[in-house]
Amino acid sequence: MGEVSLIDVSKRFVLQVGNETQTVQALSRVSFTVRDSEIVSLIGPSGCGKTTALRIAMGLELASSGRVTVDGREVKGCGHDRGMVFQHAELLPWLTAIENVMFGLEMKGMRGAELRSTAERYLDLVGLGASKNRRPHQLSGGMQQRVGIARALAIDPKVLLMDEPFGALDAQTRETMQEELLQIHGRTGKTILFVTHDLDEAVLIADRIVIMREGRIQEILHVPLPRPRGDLGVARGTREFAETRYHVWKALHAAPGTSSVH
Ligand code: ADP
């Protein structure tokens, strides 16, 4: 099982700017669930609260009100039931790829032979078995992101939280990574909440899309593309892709205040 819910989550940041106190309402009563083995994309314009929602789900940030549950149990703070992948893998530069993955496992308390074999297994899963002894500067951006994904998956979280993980990659590498993520999802069945501001990416990878605007959910919609999606170039050519993409595009360009939740 691996179901994560945000229930009525609001977040207000209070800032001290010079002598003035300013408040930013980053999230207003946001509720949605990512079901077991589902991939949900969270999309919306910059500043609409996507990263804040993800950080609260991870426990890196506290909600001002509302709660987060994993499999029905309220979570407070970070835990090994959730793994996070950031836009930049933020690997430790003095450690090799495998040592970076092992580091995360050691934090979880794993020791001995199991440590190396588990790290190897997850580097194989992301296609990096042959590069396990390279240091981050000897890996391309895409390869570094794969190490980041292996590091997050290795702790065997129930839910993977991904914050624009392919946002810094070139278009071709990005598409390869999207296909690889879907293959990994097919093999592991992980529940994934995926933040992106890329419309195509949101549609291609997700079962459902949560569209956000100004800290609120504007709409939640189902993506009618079948799984497995295989070659994403083929998925892009389908009527379902075009229609869903157009629907999301329209929602993102709609006047504020118009919303519907399916
Ligand atoms: P997105 O990921 O959609 O770009 P964010 O979640 O990063 O949006 O930000 C939502 C709003 O909250 C923005 O107005 C942003 O400036 C504000 N915000 C985010 N983090 C902080 C913080 N640590 N302190 C103050 N304001 C913040």
Side-chain angles (χ1 to χ4, degrees):
M1 278 286 282
E3 181 175 284
V4 62
S5 297
L6 274 73
I7 303 164
D8 226 7
V9 169
S10 296
K11 177 68 184 180
R12 220 158 67 112
F13 288 106
V14 180
L15 309 167
Q16 198 65 41
V17 183
N19 291 332
E20 240 183 275
T21 305
Q22 296 180 356
T23 59
V24 179
Q25 190 69 38
L27 296 175
S28 302
R29 307 197 67 176
V30 167
S31 296
F32 66 90
T33 292
V34 189
R35 300 174 197 130
D36 189 32
S37 288
E38 193 180 29
I39 304 182
V40 167
S41 298
L42 197 52
I43 192 171
S46 184
C48 73
K50 304 181 294 296
T51 294
T52 302
L54 202 75
R55 287 173 60 82
I56 288 174
M58 185 63 199
L60 293 171
E61 199 83 67
L62 274 178
S64 306
S65 63
R67 60 206 173 93
V68 175
T69 63
V70 174
D71 289 341
R73 279 215 345 254
E74 184 164 353
V75 292
K76 294 186 193 286
C78 296
H80 296 306
D81 54 354
R82 285 149 292 147
M84 188 135 171
V85 179
F86 301 92
Q87 185 171 16
H88 299 280
E90 298 180 26
L91 305 174
L92 298 172
W94 59 90
L95 297 181
T96 61
I98 190 162
E99 287 165 350
N100 265 283
V101 179
M102 286 164 63
F103 183 78
L105 288 166
E106 277 176 314
M107 303 287 280
K108 196 187 171 187
M110 192 181 282
R111 298 284 180 268
E114 194 190 1
L115 191 59
R116 182 164 285 271
S117 63
T118 305
E120 265 169 4
R121 184 149 44 86
Y122 282 94
L123 280 175
D124 282 342
L125 181 73
V126 298
L128 274 190
S131 308
K132 65 184 176 195
N133 293 321
R134 292 203 205 170
R135 291 185 202 285
H137 74 274
Q138 297 165 324
L139 300 169
S140 69
M143 290 161 99
Q144 291 185 27
Q145 277 311 82
R146 285 196 195 113
V147 179
I149 293 169
R151 181 180 55 188
L153 283 172
I155 59 163
D156 198 22
K158 291 180 169 183
V159 181
L160 202 54
L161 304 165
M162 308 185 84
D163 192 1
E164 299 204 31
F166 311 143
L169 305 176
D170 63 87
Q172 204 176 334
T173 308
R174 187 173 187 143
E175 188 148 320
T176 308
M177 295 295 290
Q178 290 161 354
E179 285 179 358
E180 286 183 10
L181 179 68
L182 291 184
Q183 284 167 17
I184 290 168
H185 177 257
R187 273 178 257 153
T188 63
K190 287 289 172 207
T191 305
I192 300 177
L193 177 56
F194 190 103
V195 165
T196 181
H197 62 253
D198 183 290
L199 184 48
D200 287 20
E201 182 169 81
V203 178
L204 285 170
I205 68 156
D207 298 298
R208 285 187 304 144
I209 303 177
V210 175
I211 304 172
M212 286 185 64
R213 176 197 288 255
E214 294 172 2
R216 295 175 192 277
I217 292 183
Q218 182 179 351
E219 182 173 349
I220 300 178
L221 77 151
H222 169 72
V223 179
L225 291 171
R227 289 209 190 279
R229 295 190 185 162
D231 183 344
L232 290 182
V234 175
R236 269 179 201 279
T238 61
R239 185 169 54 83
E240 288 83 356
F241 172 77
E243 285 177 359
T244 310
R245 188 186 188 285
Y246 181 57
H247 185 114
V248 179
W249 182 87
K250 264 199 320 195
L252 290 171
H253 291 80
T258 46
S259 69
S260 59
V261 177
H262 302 293

